[in-house]
Amino acid sequence: MSALLAGLTLLIIGDSHVTFKDSLLSVLPDEFSRQGAKVVTYGVCSSTAADWVVPNPNNGCGAAERIGDAPIGAPNMKPASPPPVSDLVAKWHPNVIMVILGDTMAAYGQAAVSKDWVDEQVKTLTYAIGKTACIWVGPTWGQFSPRYGKTDQRATEMASFLKGEVAPCSYVDGTALLKQGSVNTIDGIHATPESYKVWGNAIVQATLPELEKLKDAPPATGQ
């Protein structure tokens, strides 16, 4: 184990990209734990940003909690609300929160993104995060499928829009981390295990310098 992130408590929250085995739920906690961080990860499939502030039961497509690099079990498939981020901060006192969200708010298959709605969603969560340091990871590339309707054009639009929305969180543009067309998926949005490894490793490399600086930041108190 490396001591690069020793002393850092990292809270990761997100949608289905951090809910299932062989997704970012596998890659990110494993690698950040190897770097010495204490990592706590919560994923709720189909969750949007405001769901992590005002409880909203989803459709039961999966929810998961992983402490450190503990073995990943089957997700909870009952309708579940994401735990409020304020409760998670009070429980874990993270130095930094990493948010993995974007695809669920991109209105794939619809004519346009409701930018006012996305703005409200994002600002609701960043306000609740408050003074805790945070890093927001936006969506990356996918593949078009009739099931979700994700396109490179919409992914680019959403990634660009989020960049100007997530302050005071810093922003990691998922479409800038990987080459367009390089992400293989199982359904248009959710990557194959190998592509999740590539994306996850790119996220780690992009965020390690900032996380190393934040390891000495005062932990959040939840107040």
Side-chain angles (χ1 to χ4, degrees):
M1 184 181 77
S2 167
L4 187 66
L5 300 181
L8 179 80
T9 298
L10 172 63
L11 170 64
I12 302 174
I13 62 173
D15 54 24
S16 55
H17 292 305
V18 287
T19 300
F20 304 101
K21 187 177 181 181
D22 296 324
S23 71
L24 297 180
L25 179 64
S26 296
V27 184
L28 298 183
D30 283 359
E31 185 55 38
F32 289 132
S33 293
R34 276 195 289 268
Q35 298 289 347
K38 176 182 178 181
V39 186
V40 187
T41 310
Y42 292 83
V44 179
C45 179
S46 295
S47 60
T48 64
D51 293 342
W52 292 88
V53 181
V54 181
N56 179 34
N58 73 356
N59 61 9
C61 66
E65 172 186 342
R66 189 182 187 200
I67 310 301
D69 56 0
I72 300 174
N76 172 15
M77 299 304 292
K78 297 178 181 178
S81 300
V85 69
S86 58
D87 290 356
L88 297 179
V89 167
K91 181 176 182 178
W92 297 108
H93 308 292
N95 304 88
V96 59
I97 299 172
M98 183 174 290
V99 179
I100 315 286
L101 284 172
D103 275 329
T104 56
M105 299 180 289
Y108 296 129
Q110 298 182 25
V113 176
S114 174
K115 293 186 177 180
D116 288 343
W117 179 79
V118 175
D119 174 77
E120 182 180 5
Q121 288 280 321
V122 172
K123 294 298 192 294
T124 297
L125 180 53
T126 55
Y127 181 82
I129 289 173
K131 295 181 179 180
T132 305
C134 58
I135 300 172
W136 193 302
V137 180
T140 193
W141 309 108
Q143 295 170 317
F144 178 79
S145 76
R147 180 176 180 182
Y148 292 110
K150 182 171 182 175
T151 63
D152 287 352
Q153 180 180 0
R154 182 59 59 82
T156 301
E157 179 185 358
M158 190 63 181
S160 298
F161 183 64
L162 283 174
K163 183 177 182 178
E165 290 290 303
V166 302
C169 299
S170 61
Y171 182 61
V172 176
D173 182 348
T175 62
L177 294 180
L178 303 176
K179 183 179 178 180
Q180 186 174 0
S182 68
V183 178
N184 294 316
T185 71
I186 59 174
D187 57 12
I189 286 185
H190 302 98
T192 62
E194 186 56 40
S195 281
Y196 268 127
K197 288 180 183 178
V198 175
W199 185 22
N201 288 333
I203 292 171
V204 170
Q205 293 306 311
T207 58
L208 266 178
E210 184 173 358
L211 290 174
E212 188 178 10
K213 294 177 183 177
L214 291 170
K215 69 181 182 180
D216 296 322
T221 62
Q223 298 177 351

